[in-house]
Amino acid sequence: MPFSFVLLWTDALVYLLVAIVITFAWHIRHDEQLLTPWRRVGHSASGMAALTVLLFFIIIGLLDTVHFRPALENRYNNSEQVYSVEVLSLFDVMVTPLRKQVEKTYSAPLAAHLYAKETVEQADGSQAREFSRLEFGGSHLQHPESQRIQDITWRAVVGAMLGLIVCTLLIVLLNILLARRHRQSFKQSLSAIWRGTTEIPWKAILITLMTMLALIGTVIMLAPHYHVLGTDKVGQDVLYQALKSIRTGLVIGAITTLIMLPFALLLGIMAGYFRGWTDDAIQYIYTTLNSIPSVLLIAAAVLIMQVYIETNPEMFETTAERADLRLLFLCIILGVTSWTGLCRLLRGETLKLREMEYIQAAHAFGVSHWRIISRHILPNVMHIVLIATVMDFSGLVLAEAVLSYVGVGVDPSMISFGTMINAARLEMAREPIVWWTLFAAFSFMFTLVLSANLFADAVQNAFNPRIKTLSTKSTTRI
């Protein structure tokens, strides 16, 4: 085989999470009571626009989750196939030019020369200090001083136009499908979308999609010929690092949530339902856990894991497996230390629910505790679980950046927003200042967190019975 499939621990958990989400979506689709609030989520223009951006990040994260080791050339003509120690992903294959075009050192965004002068030997044997040409960035230009701006402008305009053309085709296809589904003319369907009178805010979704496709088209046209966001100290493309950091942020947010939920659900419902000594014991546990500074607890646990990894190098065939185990352990520690807030909310809600008439009637008819919890308590607290989970996601992404910045986050060999910010710490203090690494990490992390927060607001409003998300004006059901 030309490659050997690699299944990392976090890959397996991401696949499990995807399976859970698909199963949950299938269950919601066949339950009208659960489907109603999710339809209200679809009525939020800001929420659906944010979801469009989130899907872009999720797609990149999933592509970066399928890992393999490429086969090496067999120089000895034996039957045993040898594979590289480098672990790649499908995303790495798709952005091969970004991954392989490595310069000597720093270069500014869209530059054709190095950012700092270096000593160059002239043809006559003398030496001079000058800005050397990049090996890949702008290498197709004969005279970059006069041609670079024009070439960048032309490629950016062409890329944006291609993105807009793709978006136009998608709009036409969407209108055809909606017109056939609702037996309308193409013009009526397009007019309803343009006026914003549709039940689903297609106008906001399409405007967001158009902006994203224009940017993506511009980057696709420029990336093979320039370093769009510059290069770092070792000459690696900063755009590639920012895109690779997406998976780390998503894994931290998603897997930590997956680990946190069982603790919060089980202990929170038990404390509120059984009360008495059970409630006292659970309150003592999460009060004690909250009294310990979480950063110190996480730092101690990560350092213990780091010592274990360094003393047992034979357990890992590649550096990617070692870094993945540390990432998994960081998710576990974050999950163990972040379930207390949701547990408190579930305890309070369960205390209220257990006094309701239908719960008391179930007790009178001799229904078992397990059946009451699974049939009556759990479904009525799931809206709190969903809202808290979505809102905590952005906080976990930011937590990874902070922990990696102070040196107790992910492995240094793993690209993340935190490691990029940590690397930019010294770059911001040099002269001339290297600003683009921090700018790239901040921009991508800001976009991810902002879209997650906007979608969380839409979910909270949809599941809050006191907030009416549907407009009183008449809407066309499209």
Side-chain angles (χ1 to χ4, degrees):
M1 293 180 64
F3 63 90
S4 174
F5 181 72
V6 176
L7 182 63
L8 303 176
W9 282 102
T10 55
D11 294 344
L13 290 176
V14 169
Y15 299 151
L16 175 62
L17 185 62
V18 171
I20 291 174
V21 171
I22 293 175
T23 305
F24 183 63
W26 180 86
H27 178 65
I28 290 176
R29 186 178 177 85
H30 294 82
D31 191 328
E32 187 64 27
Q33 184 178 1
L34 295 176
L35 187 60
T36 300
W38 282 107
R39 285 175 175 165
R40 290 198 293 267
V41 174
H43 300 153
S44 171
S46 60
M48 296 307 292
L51 181 60
T52 305
V53 178
L54 274 178
L55 287 176
F56 167 75
F57 286 102
I58 291 172
I59 290 172
I60 292 179
L62 291 177
L63 290 174
D64 205 17
T65 300
V66 183
H67 291 98
F68 64 93
R69 294 168 60 185
L72 298 177
E73 182 181 356
N74 194 341
R75 298 181 179 180
Y76 302 101
N77 296 324
N78 53 23
S79 58
E80 183 179 357
Q81 181 65 64
V82 180
Y83 297 97
S84 172
V85 295
E86 183 182 18
V87 178
L88 301 178
S89 66
L90 288 181
F91 180 75
D92 290 325
V93 175
M94 294 175 62
V95 295
T96 298
L98 295 179
R99 179 172 57 89
K100 289 190 174 182
Q101 293 180 1
V102 180
E103 307 291 351
K104 290 182 180 180
T105 184
Y106 296 113
S107 66
L110 301 173
H113 296 83
L114 291 176
Y115 191 58
K117 292 183 178 181
E118 63 177 5
T119 303
V120 179
E121 187 172 350
Q122 304 294 326
D124 58 357
S126 61
Q127 293 183 342
R129 298 278 295 175
E130 61 182 33
F131 296 99
S132 301
R133 285 288 302 272
L134 297 178
E135 184 178 355
F136 299 100
S139 60
H140 63 290
L141 301 176
Q142 295 290 336
H143 304 286
E145 293 81 2
S146 59
Q147 298 175 337
R148 186 173 64 91
I149 300 299
Q150 182 180 359
D151 184 67
I152 291 173
T153 304
W154 178 80
R155 293 182 185 277
V157 171
V158 171
M161 292 301 296
L162 290 176
L164 293 178
I165 290 173
V166 172
C167 186
T168 302
L169 295 176
L170 292 176
I171 292 174
V172 172
L173 180 61
L174 174 65
N175 275 276
I176 292 175
L177 293 176
L178 294 178
R180 289 183 177 179
R181 179 179 179 182
H182 300 282
R183 298 180 180 179
Q184 295 177 333
S185 66
F186 181 87
K187 185 177 180 180
Q188 289 176 329
S189 177
L190 184 61
S191 176
I193 292 176
W194 178 253
R195 294 195 309 269
T197 57
T198 56
E199 183 181 16
I200 298 176
W202 289 111
K203 183 178 179 180
I205 296 173
L206 293 175
I207 290 176
T208 305
L209 186 62
M210 183 180 299
T211 305
M212 292 176 56
L213 289 177
L215 291 175
I216 293 172
T218 302
V219 171
I220 289 176
M221 288 296 296
L222 289 173
H225 305 282
Y226 297 94
H227 299 287
V228 179
L229 293 177
T231 56
D232 63 359
K233 186 176 182 179
V234 296
Q236 194 172 27
D237 193 277
V238 173
L239 176 61
Y240 172 72
Q241 295 181 18
L243 292 173
K244 289 286 289 184
S245 300
I246 292 174
R247 177 188 180 270
T248 306
L250 292 177
V251 165
I252 289 286
I255 295 182
T256 301
T257 301
L258 189 65
I259 295 171
M260 172 191 70
L261 282 180
F263 291 98
L265 277 172
L266 180 63
L267 297 179
I269 294 177
M270 285 178 60
Y273 182 78
F274 292 107
R275 298 190 300 185
W277 67 268
T278 304
D279 187 17
D280 294 338
I282 294 174
Q283 285 191 73
Y284 179 80
I285 291 173
Y286 66 62
T287 302
T288 304
L289 191 59
N290 277 339
S291 66
I292 304 173
S294 58
V295 175
L296 296 180
L297 183 61
I298 293 170
V302 169
L303 291 176
I304 292 173
M305 173 55 67
Q306 185 175 348
V307 171
Y308 174 78
I309 291 174
E310 291 177 354
T311 55
N312 297 275
E314 69 280 355
M315 296 179 58
F316 313 101
E317 295 184 5
T318 62
T319 56
E321 295 179 359
R322 182 188 66 190
D324 184 76
L325 182 61
R326 178 165 171 172
L327 175 62
L328 175 63
F329 196 72
L330 178 62
C331 293
I332 294 174
I333 296 300
L334 285 173
V336 170
T337 57
S338 60
W339 59 269
T340 55
L342 179 58
C343 182
R344 278 198 184 101
L345 293 175
L346 294 177
R347 172 185 173 272
E349 187 69 13
T350 305
L351 283 172
K352 182 184 73 174
L353 290 174
R354 76 181 307 277
E355 303 300 330
M356 301 296 288
E357 291 80 359
Y358 61 92
I359 301 292
Q360 298 298 325
H363 279 300
F365 281 105
V367 181
S368 65
H369 295 308
W370 168 248
R371 189 168 182 83
I372 292 175
I373 291 175
S374 61
R375 294 294 299 273
H376 301 294
I377 301 293
L378 185 60
N380 285 289
V381 300
M382 285 306 295
H383 67 287
I384 296 178
V385 174
L386 187 61
I387 293 171
T389 299
V390 178
M391 296 187 70
D392 287 346
F393 174 83
S394 57
L396 292 170
V397 174
L398 294 174
E400 181 276 324
V402 173
L403 292 173
S404 297
Y405 176 76
V406 299
V408 293
V410 300
D411 191 85
S413 63
M414 177 173 286
I415 302 174
S416 72
F417 294 124
T419 55
M420 290 181 67
I421 295 173
N422 189 29
R425 176 169 52 90
L426 298 177
E427 296 172 355
M428 296 293 290
R430 58 165 287 164
E431 181 62 35
I433 186 172
V434 178
W435 52 268
W436 48 86
T437 302
L438 181 63
F439 171 77
F442 173 79
S443 299
F444 276 77
M445 187 168 61
F446 173 78
T447 306
L448 175 60
V449 172
L450 178 62
S451 57
N453 284 340
L454 290 176
F455 183 68
D457 289 340
V459 172
Q460 183 180 17
N461 293 339
F463 282 84
N464 190 342
R466 293 186 296 271
I467 298 178
K468 187 175 181 181
T469 59
L470 278 175
S471 175
T472 55
K473 67 177 183 179
S474 60
T475 58
T476 307
R477 296 187 62 86
I478 293 183

